[in-house]
Amino acid sequence: AALVPVALLVGYGVVFAVNRALLEIRWILIGPLDQSVRGAITFAAFERVHELGLRFHLSRKTGQLVDVINRGIGAAWQMIFGVLMTLVPVVLDLTVVAVVLVSRFDAIYALIIVATAIAYGVSLVVGAEKLRPYMRKANDEWSEIWGQAVDGLLNYETVKYFNAEIATARRLDESIRKYERTSGISLRV
């Protein structure tokens, strides 16, 4: 009877170690693909922005544009690799668990697991849709912060020439406060 807990702990340790090793192998195999996709997305975004007209560029702050591009590249990467590295393994795990439960126990246990996973997925999608307007507003405000910060640095000579450091800092501080109110996240330490 004393060997059962020890065997379970050893079994868990082996499964954990194999899982970690497989995760590392997966990143070794997918790493080059990751870099290639990230480079292709970055190049496509850069190329697209350069195709846009002068009116577009004159109506945007450089910092805002850089932030939007950067977040877009990150989101595209998350979409591709989120599906590849998270969704596919979770579906495979659920399938294996369901098959084991059906083969060893009643099918009701597998149905409960699958129903729970589906309910969880639906709640994530519904929750994300409800948060979308707030996140969009917070993202716009974050882009405004980056627009002011980067443009203040790009136009450093002008800011210094007109002794506008304090006014520039105050505008940035107000944008940060506005973002903090919208997002509920404090950026101050």
Side-chain angles (χ1 to χ4, degrees):
L3 290 178
V4 172
V6 172
L8 287 174
L9 282 174
V10 169
Y12 175 77
V14 168
V15 168
F16 182 79
V18 168
N19 181 43
R20 293 300 302 175
L22 290 175
L23 284 173
E24 294 303 322
I25 290 170
R26 180 171 66 176
W27 275 112
I28 288 169
L29 296 174
I30 293 181
L33 177 64
D34 170 37
Q35 294 303 313
S36 176
V37 168
R38 203 179 283 260
I41 292 170
T42 302
F43 180 76
F46 181 80
E47 194 174 45
R48 175 66 180 127
V49 168
H50 277 270
E51 291 172 353
L52 297 171
L54 183 61
R55 179 175 287 149
F56 173 84
H57 288 280
L58 292 176
S59 68
R60 303 287 193 287
K61 291 181 180 174
T62 304
Q64 284 179 316
L65 191 56
V66 168
D67 181 55
V68 169
I69 291 169
N70 196 26
R71 281 190 288 119
I73 291 168
W77 181 88
Q78 282 183 323
M79 291 283 294
I80 293 168
F81 285 94
V83 169
L84 186 63
M85 301 293 278
T86 304
L87 190 59
V88 170
V90 166
V91 169
L92 288 174
D93 288 346
L94 281 175
T95 303
V96 168
V97 168
V99 167
V100 168
L101 288 175
V102 167
S103 67
R104 298 281 186 194
F105 304 103
D106 285 338
I108 190 72
Y109 296 115
L111 286 173
I112 290 170
I113 296 289
V114 170
T116 302
I118 290 171
Y120 178 71
V122 167
S123 68
L124 282 178
V125 170
V126 168
E129 285 301 316
K130 289 197 180 289
L131 288 175
R132 185 184 309 265
Y134 304 107
M135 291 305 298
R136 182 176 301 274
K137 184 176 181 192
N139 284 338
D140 290 345
E141 289 172 3
W142 184 254
S143 291
E144 178 66 25
I145 290 169
W146 273 103
Q148 289 178 6
V150 170
D151 287 352
L153 292 173
L154 288 175
N155 299 310
Y156 177 77
E157 294 88 1
T158 306
V159 171
K160 274 299 204 188
Y161 182 76
F162 289 103
N163 200 22
E165 296 96 332
I166 294 172
T168 303
R170 282 187 184 146
R171 277 195 308 275
L172 181 63
D173 186 54
E174 181 52 40
S175 293
I176 291 171
R177 290 180 191 281
K178 186 177 175 185
Y179 172 79
E180 289 174 336
R181 285 189 300 271
T182 299
S183 67
I185 298 171
S186 179
L187 300 178
R188 299 167 200 288
V189 178

